[in-house]
Amino acid sequence: MLILNRRRFLQVGSLAATSVMLPRFLKAMEKEALVPPGNKVLVVIQLSGGNDGLNTVIPYRNDIYYRSRPSLGIEREAALSLNDELGIHPALKGLKGLYDEGALGILNNVGYPNPDRSHFRAMDIWHTASEASEYRSDGWIGRYLDAQCRGCDKPTQALEIDDTLSLALKGVHTNGLAMTDPARLFSTSNDRYFNDLLQQHATAGSATDHAADYLYKVMGDTMASAAYIRQQYKVRPSGASYPNTDLGKHLRIIASLIASDINTKVYYVSHGSFDTHTNQQDQQQRLFQQLGDAMTVFTDDLKQQQRFEDVLIMTFSEFGRRVSQNASGGTDHGTANNVFLMGGGLKKPGLINEGPDLSDLREGDLQYKVDFKSVYATVLNKWLGADDHTILGQRYDMLDFI
Amino acid sequence: MGTDNRKIQLQHLAWRAGFGTTLPTIAGWMKQRRREVVHEVVNGAVKTTPESVNVIAAKDLPDYRQVKTMMPEEKKALQQMNNQGIKDLNVAWMQMMVKSAYPLREKMSLFWHGHFACRTQNVLFNQQLLEVIREHALGNFGTLLQAVSKSPAMLQFLNNQQNRKQHPNENFAREVMELFAMGRGHYTEPDVKEAARAFTGWGFDATGQFVFRKGQHDDGLKTFLGKQGHFDGDDILKILLEEKQTARFITAKIFRFFVDDQPDEERVTQLAANFYQSGYNIQQLLQELFLADWFYDRRYLGNRIKSPVELLTGLRRTIPMAFEQDEVMLVFQRILGQVLFYPPNVAGWPGGRSWIDSSSLMFRLRVPQVILYSQALDVQPKALMPEMGEGANYKMTLEINAFLKKQFAKKVNARIDWNPYVEGYTGVSRENLATEIAGVLLQQTNGISRSLLERYADSSTRENYIKTITIDVMSTPEYQLC
């Protein structure tokens, strides 16, 4: 039973981007953006749910592999060969193509000490880059934002293509911004009433650290960002034919934004769910098909734009899965996993390190050889030109894939 | 002290010690002395035993001892009972927060629910733990700590079922010390190891009862926090309570929850000393807090960001409403970042500014419109992470996810009962209405002028005017604060 039916909040004000003014006191807090020069972009693809790395990069010469996975093992003939030892899942043709042209790097055995097999805990660890024993409420990309663009004019340095924001993009002082559709973001944030509130607060307010000022700052930033994103999104919308999947749609938005001169350095998108306790084959096949197809169009699109060299795409999952298949044609939660790195700017493409050692397991699980925080450190330092030590709180070995 | 100041202070009390209150209640409180109001808030208006929020009786659940031998259909039915049960428990508890005449009990329970953060897919375990927390929320902290530590939910979540003499598992001991009692940095790694030995044998049986499995307990001599003895789990908890640091850790956290993100060292020290002296009487601690003059300091008024559950509960306490589908509350909770019974990790919800980012803030500003104008929920919440995937129950979270997904683009249908709210403003002149409404709903009204509200109000009738002004006031950044 509807009593009220006012539509004011659904109307999009005819506001030019310039009319979204930040309150005066907030203007005063603005600093020059510290985002480093250059136009390098990072795209993170989260494979949610714990992707089975062993059926992704397949050790098809290994008897232990086939013994452990009597029905789930991918046959040697089916796998797309990378070298004499390893092959890639047959549904990942798109990624095999990138591998052949030197635009895909594979890191194996990525993990961390004392792995946690709980989805939410393991995901937290990957998002926050914390030690397994430590709880943090800020993410590694969020801390990158804290370091690089505190008080930025346009806080659009990191965008997640989703309706809600992941922990990875939450900083202490600065957050990334989540949106699935630039037009919808604009219409829900740039409301006349909100604009009036913002103006009024600017007139009445003073520069304090009161929680209300913080909220108005976030609101002002969001409205300014929404206008900026919409404006940039219109500059060069991608004409490529992306698959009609969520991932396809999301990558299309990312490609369009990369094509504009928007200041975004990091894009974040999720794909899943890879939680394959039962009937893994079909589910992983379907998700990989979607991933491979979308990546092919996306990377072609970037090449078309002459931007492939500037974009690094990284996939990760919160954990790999057990070496042995379970009784229901699936796999249970495991530990170390592979990370894919894609782009035209890889220094060391191909198989960057050795494949998994199935003869040296711990309680049926793979042992990690590369700390995932080393991957982050390398990306932060060598790709984004950021201070990895400050952001990660510790020094990690640099890798040489870029 | 002016009348307006006093009114804001009472609203402050109502928000911090509950989920806000209505104009008529505040008007009533204005006639009483602070001591009387605080006494009423802390003790509840009427003496009653806590009303249960239970959704299932243990005897209505199948015998867990027989799960292994169940037929697939029976297993499926059990899973559905758990699945639906946890949703029901969430809804029932929120309804209790909304209707309770003793909101401090629920507010304090919400605090403990985050402090003793736990995830389990078992509806009975969740229900037991919530019952323990609500029963002792305002009682004795030592009793509460012991009851929580012996709950199957916590023993399972922190792996004490796997803590055996031959094979100690330290998880439970570590979290009890780090998160429940003393906080990091006040004990050593050897203390953790020794405490873990003491907790060996603590477990639960298939009917969901605490059991002490003597055969698995390590009865040897232990050294813990400088003391020696053949300690068991109870001894460890007792020693932890003897440590003044435990009182301090808990008090500082309570200060952050009820007063300010930045604990005032001196005040926390004083409160903690009295808390310790009282033998950990929680009610007394809160009474002292709410009676203190400094609790009503200007800088604390309206300077705290409401948690999603506080925001939703406050809205529903202000304007009575019944949802066509009560579970829609889970969708709101998920989008805003706080689903009851699904804390992000063992440390609970970090709170404060971490509630806020661009998307959560913009959605918060739209919540009153989405509900009160029955708009479509056009935000797709992230999926919850399925847990305990190796057991039989991980599909439950998948089902909750399917539910969250199904609500996308659906209208939020609620029957809104505006009458009591509108009647609350009887006697307020038309020209004072906007200011009065903002003055009741907000603790900070600096930036929101009457002229601004007037511009967006529907002035066709007095009733519509009150409603639209109310929705607009609730759609401000200031309404996110209490």
Side-chain angles (χ1 to χ4, degrees), chain A residues 203-217:
Chain A
T203 321
S206 57
T208 67
D209 65 348
H210 194 279
D213 296 317
Y214 172 71
L215 296 182
Y216 273 101
K217 163 109 174 76

Side-chain angles (χ1 to χ4, degrees), chain A residues 55-68:
Chain A
N55 272 18
T56 307
V57 178
I58 302 140
Y60 58 42
R61 284 250 199 204
N62 197 307
D63 293 341
I64 306 173
Y65 170 75
Y66 289 106
R67 269 205 308 276
S68 312

